[in-house]
């Protein structure tokens, strides 16, 4: 069987690799470069922490286990880090954290309370604010370095015969006997099946093939579809796990830096006019980070 996979992010590369390992003839297409679309916007925290539907919670627990198994199978440098996660609360959020820890414990999900001194050791080189009142540790959680994971998946897919092509997909035709994908530069790829793993572009591409696939597509200010990440290159931070604090979330990056996230600021982000490194949102995130540094 020949399969065309559209989208070379984590999902597309993972599907292409699994199909190639199973013996399929695989062609993988991406409009720019592998991992530069939706995958580039993920905080990449591996967890089942805030998944309230029981089935969704179990799915995410299984995903955490699969990350560990997959990392052991793939070539290349380590991409999955079971570092654990630490969350602290202040007076305004301690009630929510307490109820969440209780809920997770009822599901046999590892969650424990720690004192300030132990929290400081778990976190690494961070200064925990005096306003922090309670600390929860989730030892089975961790994070992924998406750029490494995609590279490792692609290397293994290509080792099993898959091919990666760069080109913007403009049309998909699919019927019971064959499928084809056309790109903006005039190429046509034909096969038996097409897999769409194209992130936020999936609804439009599916519609072109006559398939209705509703997705959250709102791009207004405050839309939950907006997710802003900051990449801290300097200073280097001895960050030892995923951190969730009332004003800033952090995880280690590959180069000694960190990836940071301030969810409350997403409401001020316009996707059509992304914030700059010198604008007010960057200044706010920088100040919140500075408040946590020694």
């Amino acid at each position: 069987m020949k399969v065309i996979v559209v989208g070379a992010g984590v999902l597309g590369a993972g599907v292409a690799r699994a199909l190639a390992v199973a013996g399929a003839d695989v062609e993988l297409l991406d409009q720019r470069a592998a991992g530069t679309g939706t995958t580039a916007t993920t905080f990449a925290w591996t967890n089942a922490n805030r998944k309230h539907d029981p089935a969704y919670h179990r799915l995410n627990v299984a995903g955490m286990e699969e990350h560990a198994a997959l990392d052991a199978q793939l070539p290349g440098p380590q991409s999955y880090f079971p570092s654990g996660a630490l969350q602290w609360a202040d007076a305004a959020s301690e009630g929510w954290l307490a109820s969440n820890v209780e809920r997770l414990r009822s599901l046999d999900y590892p969650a424990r309370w720690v004192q300030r001194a132990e929290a400081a050791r778990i976190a690494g080189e961070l200064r925990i604010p005096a306003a922090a009142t309670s600390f929860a540790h989730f030892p089975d959680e961790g994070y992924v370095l998406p750029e490494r994971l995609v590279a490792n998946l692609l290397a293994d897919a290509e080792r099993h015969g898959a091919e990666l092509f760069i080109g913007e997909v403009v049309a998909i035709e699919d019927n019971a006997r064959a499928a084809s994908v056309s790109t903006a530069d005039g190429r046509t790829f034909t096969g038996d099946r097409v897999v769409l793993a194209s992130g936020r572009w999936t609804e439009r591409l599916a519609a072109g093939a006559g398939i209705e696939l509703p997705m959250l597509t709102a791009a207004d200010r405050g839309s939950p579809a907006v997710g802003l990440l900051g990449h801290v290159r300097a200073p280097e931070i001895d960050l030892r796990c995923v951190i969730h604090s009332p004003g800033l979330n952090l995880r280690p990056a590959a180069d000694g830096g960190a990836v940071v996230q301030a969810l409350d600021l997403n409401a001020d982000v316009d996707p059509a006019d992304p914030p700059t490194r010198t604008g007010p949102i960057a200044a706010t995130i920088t100040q919140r980070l500075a408040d946590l540094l020694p």
Side-chain angles (χ1 to χ4, degrees), residues 1 4 66-67 84 86 115 202 210 221 263 282 290:
M1 174 179 285
I4 304 165
E66 182 64 19
H67 267 296
L86 178 72
Q115 298 299 314
T202 297
R221 288 177 180 269
L263 295 177

Side-chain angles (χ1 to χ4, degrees), residues 182-197:
S182 301
T183 57
D185 57 8
R187 289 176 292 172
T188 299
F189 298 82
T190 59
D192 300 295
R193 295 287 186 272
V194 175
V195 175
L196 280 181

Side-chain angles (χ1 to χ4, degrees), residues 43-231:
F43 186 61
W45 164 39
T46 57
N47 73 95
N49 195 304
R50 302 172 190 173
K51 281 67 177 178
H52 290 270
D53 181 270
Y56 190 42
H57 176 87
R58 292 192 299 271
L59 176 65
N60 280 266
V61 169
M64 295 162 67
E65 296 169 351
E66 182 64 19
H67 267 296
L70 182 62
D71 196 58
Q73 298 168 13
L74 293 176
Q78 180 181 2
S79 62
Y80 166 64
F81 298 83
S83 63
L86 178 72
Q87 182 170 7
W88 67 75
D90 54 20
S93 57
E94 62 182 3
W96 181 90
L97 181 58
S99 64
N100 193 49
V101 168
E102 181 179 358
R103 180 184 64 83
L104 291 171
R105 283 177 164 177
S106 73
L107 297 171
D108 295 323
Y109 188 80
R112 66 190 187 100
W113 296 108
V114 296
Q115 298 299 314
R116 178 181 288 268
E118 184 177 1
R121 289 194 297 271
I122 293 170
E125 190 184 22
L126 289 181
R127 181 165 56 88
I128 298 176
T133 57
S134 56
F135 308 87
H137 181 226
F138 307 97
D140 284 7
E141 296 178 0
Y143 64 95
V144 169
L145 298 179
E147 62 281 3
R148 281 192 191 176
L149 177 55
V150 169
N152 292 347
L153 287 166
L154 285 177
D156 206 35
E158 290 171 342
R159 185 163 66 93
H160 286 86
E163 293 185 88
L164 172 64
F165 299 90
I166 302 301
E168 181 186 358
V169 173
V170 294
I172 296 173
E173 293 186 12
D174 186 26
N175 58 54
R177 287 186 286 183
S180 67
V181 174
S182 301
T183 57
D185 57 8
R187 289 176 292 172
T188 299
F189 298 82
T190 59
D192 300 295
R193 295 287 186 272
V194 175
V195 175
L196 280 181
S198 46
R200 60 185 180 273
W201 296 275
T202 297
E203 183 177 27
R204 174 176 58 82
L205 292 174
I211 300 168
E212 183 180 358
L213 183 63
M215 295 176 66
L216 175 64
T217 57
D220 298 328
R221 288 177 180 269
S223 167
V226 174
L228 179 68
L229 299 179
H231 295 269

